[in-house]
Amino acid sequence: MDARFTAEQDEIRRALRELLRRRCGPEESRRAVDTPAGYDPALWTALAKQLGLPGLALPEAYGGVGCSVTELALACEETGRVLAATPLLGTAVLVAPLVLALGTDAQRADLLPRIASGTLTAALAVPPGTALALTGDNRDDWAGGGRAGGVQARPVPGAGGGAAPGRPLAGTASEGLGSAQAGRTAVPLAGAGPGGSGAASAGRSAAAAVERRTAAPLAGTTPGAPGTAPAGRSTAPAAQQQRAAAQQPADVAGPCAGRWRLYGQVDQVLDGHSADLLLVAAHAGGFARSRTLLFLVAGDAPGLVRTRQRALDATRPQARVQLRDVEAELLGEDDGADVLGALARTGDSAAGVLACEAVGAADRVLEMTVEYVKQREQFGRAVGSFQAVKHRLADVYVQLQAARSAAYFAAWAAVHDERRIGGLALAQALEALRTAAAEGIQLHGGIGFTWEHEAQLYFKRATADELLFGPAHRLRAHAADATRLFERAEVSV
């Protein structure tokens, strides 16, 4: 590993820091988080148009810059310094890599250019720490359980499990006849629960679809004309068709092949209240430990209810997402993809990015604290000249530099190394940020506790990130379990 920055990396950091200095000061950030979206659209547009930040780690073939996760992590170190409230984490760090890894050619061609240009924001609707395999194995029941904290997926009756173009995502062309038919046949019958998935409900839905088709006149005919059943004539053939449709299994391909319905709830979805696109993880076998799939859900899909939650860190807005029999499109060509492996790989690279972001925040709060203790006087001298204050700040500096080294190595390893060390780097960076923010509040004295001062915002970021992605001891424990650190009978010296 070459620890020196390239000229391109230095330029990315310099240009981004200058833009954020002009456009993302403390007052601008406070105004942005109070808006319904939770961020400043003008700042997001500037980051996308001037610097290409959302597409920094995307290939040039999809409108990206063509850099790697390493450059994206270094950029996030700068956004972390000012606690910039943007949808960058959910859109570029979590969703874009999954679409690139698992999406079909058509899905990549449709979504990734709009993500790179900043015109499409996205959110990953999963429990962050568990689903991304940061605090434990993600082969658990985190995506199941219905309304009590998970999502279940079921194919539309008469549909296969593969991907098919369905309801268009935000900004795409309008749906055709096949989508309209899928929407009609997927309407639940009266008295049936929106999340029901048994064979009987599938048969009733199929029978109802056949009944609607047989009762309607054929195209180009009028009631009573040839092609329709005259009044008083026996309708036995139609009844036979209904019974045959009811006996067909639910996975028989039909006009709505590839369509799915989602039902459940996910809490703590980053930017989930404002994202144009949701990438939802759901169990598709009707029970908690069945296979996990990823689905694309448009932000304006019928049955989707999104509620912004009051978050400890207002600069990292969260939402509760409820899916009430929502139509979705499967990410990828079939349901045999290694979704859990892709989530784990994305989680490791995201942890490296988050570690760099935390290092940037810790560096800024230490910088503010040093500036303050040089100015504040007590007993006729600057408080920064007291040995006890110097030692406390020196300890913060040493911890910060260790965390920076770990974060940079994790950002490099996400591209050049097979080892997954992002969780360890994130644990060290979060501890450094929490220590730096706590010392900053203490050394600022009474003003450090006030709402008007910035110090409390950095402490909230440290605490909120630990609640979302950690805590640090669980990040380390999972890394130890993954390497079987405590299962070895002998220790080599």
Side-chain angles (χ1 to χ4, degrees):
M1 173 185 174
D2 187 354
R4 294 172 297 179
F5 293 135
T6 65
E8 184 180 29
Q9 291 169 345
D10 280 330
E11 180 60 23
I12 291 172
R13 289 158 55 90
R14 185 203 63 78
L16 183 54
R17 181 175 295 193
E18 178 62 23
L19 175 62
L20 293 174
R21 184 188 64 80
R22 292 185 283 105
R23 302 287 298 270
C24 193
E27 294 303 320
E28 290 84 356
S29 294
R30 290 176 185 269
R31 286 196 298 266
V33 298
D34 290 335
T35 61
Y39 66 94
D40 182 8
L43 174 62
W44 177 246
T45 301
L47 292 173
K49 300 299 183 184
Q50 298 181 26
L51 302 178
L53 196 57
L56 192 61
L58 290 177
E60 295 182 14
Y62 297 111
V65 178
C67 294
S68 67
V69 176
T70 304
E71 284 73 24
L72 183 59
L74 296 177
C76 285
E77 182 181 357
E78 298 302 321
T79 63
R81 283 180 58 86
V82 296
L83 302 181
T86 68
L88 181 66
L89 178 60
T91 301
V93 180
L94 296 177
V95 172
L98 290 171
V99 174
L100 184 62
L102 301 177
T104 64
D105 292 338
Q107 289 169 341
R108 294 193 197 106
D110 174 39
L111 300 176
L112 293 180
R114 291 191 287 146
I115 288 177
S117 65
T119 58
L120 179 70
T121 59
L124 181 62
V126 299
T130 308
L132 298 176
L134 295 177
T135 57
D137 188 2
N138 63 358
R139 302 178 187 276
D140 206 342
D141 59 353
W142 52 267
R147 186 180 177 85
V151 180
Q152 293 287 345
R154 62 180 176 87
V156 173
R167 185 182 185 279
L169 302 174
T172 60
S174 60
E175 59 265 44
L177 177 60
S179 300
Q181 292 173 343
R184 289 197 298 269
T185 57
V187 175
L189 297 177
S197 58
S201 62
R204 288 195 299 269
S205 300
V210 172
E211 182 179 1
R212 285 195 296 271
R213 288 196 297 268
T214 55
L218 299 177
T221 65
T222 58
T228 61
R233 180 173 295 182
S234 172
T235 56
Q240 292 174 359
Q241 292 177 6
Q242 294 178 17
R243 287 193 297 270
Q247 295 173 358
Q248 290 181 349
D251 58 352
V252 175
C256 51
R259 306 310 305 153
W260 293 78
R261 291 278 174 173
L262 306 184
Y263 186 85
Q265 176 176 306
V266 188
D267 294 322
Q268 295 181 311
V269 179
L270 298 176
D271 301 307
H273 65 292
S274 61
D276 302 319
L277 174 70
L278 294 178
L279 185 58
V280 184
H283 277 312
F287 55 96
R289 293 182 181 272
S290 55
R291 69 188 189 280
T292 302
L293 303 177
L294 289 174
F295 298 92
L296 299 167
V297 178
D300 58 350
L304 179 64
V305 179
R306 303 188 288 178
T307 306
R308 184 175 179 178
Q309 296 177 300
R310 183 180 295 275
L312 177 62
D313 178 16
T315 63
R316 186 101 74 193
Q318 304 171 26
R320 173 183 291 116
V321 175
Q322 294 178 332
L323 302 112
R324 302 174 180 177
D325 204 36
V326 175
E327 185 177 352
E329 177 184 348
L330 180 68
L331 180 67
E333 295 181 353
D334 53 49
D335 55 7
D338 184 16
V339 172
L340 297 180
L343 284 170
R345 289 188 294 272
T346 299
D348 183 71
S349 61
V353 173
L354 287 165
C356 288
E357 189 183 66
V359 164
D363 185 59
R364 175 55 186 156
V365 73
L366 176 60
E367 182 181 285
M368 288 192 307
T369 305
V370 171
E371 291 176 357
Y372 182 76
V373 298
K374 287 181 178 179
Q375 298 172 2
R376 183 188 175 197
E377 293 186 357
Q378 190 72 299
F379 305 109
R381 55 190 290 190
V383 297
S385 64
F386 297 129
Q387 189 177 49
V389 175
K390 290 181 179 179
H391 286 180
R392 291 172 71 171
L393 291 176
D395 289 342
V396 173
Y397 178 79
V398 171
Q399 191 172 0
L400 170 61
Q401 292 306 316
R404 175 176 276 120
S405 297
Y408 286 173
F409 181 66
W412 175 86
V415 180
H416 302 91
D417 201 322
E418 292 296 327
R419 291 174 294 176
R420 296 180 182 176
I421 60 173
L424 288 174
L426 179 58
Q428 192 160 356
L430 290 178
E431 285 187 340
L433 175 55
R434 186 178 66 245
T435 301
E439 292 290 0
I441 291 175
Q442 292 293 326
L443 295 177
H444 272 85
I447 192 176
F449 288 88
T450 62
W451 183 264
E452 291 77 16
H453 201 272
E454 295 179 68
Q456 49 94 14
L457 298 176
Y458 290 88
F459 188 80
K460 289 178 178 178
R461 168 60 66 88
T463 306
D465 276 4
E466 282 202 71
L467 292 174
L468 279 170
F469 306 102
H473 71 272
R474 290 191 61 189
L475 291 168
R476 292 195 175 101
H478 177 55
D481 292 341
T483 57
R484 299 182 178 180
L485 181 63
F486 300 111
E487 294 182 10
R488 298 173 183 172
E490 298 179 359
V491 177
S492 301
V493 180

